[in-house]
Amino acid sequence: VIDLHCHLDLYPEPAAVARECETRGVYVLSVTNTPSAWDGTAALAEGSPRIRTALGLHPALARERRAELPLFDRLLPLTRYVGEVGLDGSPELRGSWDDQIAVFLHVLQACSAAGGRAMTIHSRRAASPVLDMLEKHADAGTAILHWFSGSPAELRRAINVGCWFSVGPAMLCSAKGRAMAAAIPRSRVLTESDGPFAQARGRPLYPWDVATAIEALASLWGVDARQAEDQLARNLRSLIIAEQGFSEEGV
Ligand code: MN
């Protein structure tokens, strides 16, 4: 089971969740919403080789945490993973749009200068501007659009731009989300919980709840859960290879 976008540090008992992931053998990309959360969140992964920590600055915090960009730059050499970053075009965040653009631009330029990173990207109500910026910064690394909710045309464009997609139980419980997931090439799909923000039946999702997303994907793909899990494991390997700058064929 692979959870490529989880806010491990925001559960009430983060250390217990990290231990449970280790016990269950769940691979987790533990994202941060601010550079100042890096130290505490990275500490949760100590002794857990399946947990990797991503350095982020969430678009909803772009205005109040923009001053943490120098800290982002200092920490970037410590990790190959960046997120949660991106843009959010929701009406309540309109006032911070210029800060969001400045922060995301800075992140993409820093990733380019550092040789590229795997980036888990938020694009709610902002798929087109996110894709515009990714196109202009193709050497920033591998973009994984998390919980993508753009239009079918934006999805086609994202596929053409080379994006990957992480889908979770919350996305796959709606017909629209399932239709979106079905339209993504199987080789570009990964799974996520987005816990504890994302919920199911009124409870926060945990990384191991990704198992229900695997079952949903299996039914979309017309395969059994084991075959779906194998496909997702192959995808994670090829994502890591792509992110390291090797061609899939060359390894
Ligand atoms: Mn998130």
Side-chain angles (χ1 to χ4, degrees):
V1 172
I2 299 160
D3 182 355
L4 218 73
H5 185 109
C6 179
H7 299 265
L8 207 52
D9 60 333
L10 299 180
Y11 288 99
E13 299 275 356
V17 178
R19 277 196 305 276
E20 185 68 17
C21 289
E22 193 59 23
T23 304
R24 295 176 182 243
V26 181
Y27 289 82
V28 178
L29 185 58
S30 165
V31 304
T32 52
N33 283 344
T34 63
S36 53
W38 169 267
D39 284 345
T41 309
L44 294 170
E46 273 166 28
S48 299
R50 292 188 189 87
I51 303 177
R52 299 295 162 91
T53 311
L55 174 65
L57 206 167
H58 195 288
L61 297 170
R63 169 164 282 183
E64 53 185 280
R65 300 303 184 98
R66 190 171 166 176
E68 291 188 27
L69 284 174
L71 179 58
F72 180 94
D73 293 344
R74 284 200 297 280
L75 294 171
L76 188 59
L78 301 180
T79 181
R80 302 198 64 85
Y81 302 92
V82 160
E84 177 163 3
V85 295
L87 299 173
D88 190 313
S90 300
E92 62 271 25
L93 291 174
R94 205 154 282 158
S96 72
W97 184 253
D98 292 346
D99 298 283
Q100 293 188 45
I101 295 279
V103 166
F104 191 39
L105 179 64
H106 180 104
V107 165
L108 291 172
Q109 288 172 337
C111 289
S112 297
R117 292 290 185 270
M119 304 174 289
T120 175
I121 297 175
H122 177 110
S123 59
R124 186 162 62 130
R125 295 188 176 210
S128 289
V130 163
L131 293 171
D132 290 343
M133 290 178 72
L134 289 175
E135 265 183 347
K136 287 194 193 106
H137 298 87
D139 50 0
T142 307
I144 307 144
L145 300 178
H146 114 84
W147 199 339
F148 187 76
S149 58
S151 69
E154 287 169 325
L155 176 64
R156 282 192 297 277
R157 184 176 166 213
I159 292 165
N160 290 335
V161 169
C163 293
W164 293 67
F165 302 84
S166 57
V167 307
M171 173 174 169
L172 293 168
C173 74
S174 80
K176 182 179 181 252
R178 281 195 300 276
M180 189 82 74
I184 301 169
R186 270 179 222 193
S187 61
R188 299 256 205 102
V189 175
L190 295 153
T191 44
E192 67 170 30
S193 69
D194 199 19
F197 289 119
Q199 305 204 334
R201 290 179 291 276
R203 290 179 44 251
L205 287 164
Y206 288 88
W208 47 88
D209 292 324
V210 160
T212 66
I214 298 171
E215 286 161 24
L217 287 170
S219 105
L220 287 177
W221 292 341
V223 300
D224 64 36
R226 177 63 190 273
Q227 289 169 310
E229 204 166 353
D230 288 347
Q231 173 76 53
L232 293 161
R234 277 197 302 280
N235 293 353
L236 180 63
R237 277 197 299 276
S238 71
L239 172 80
I240 290 167
I241 290 164
E243 193 271 325
Q244 288 169 340
F246 300 108
S247 78
E248 214 174 313
E249 299 75 23
V251 173

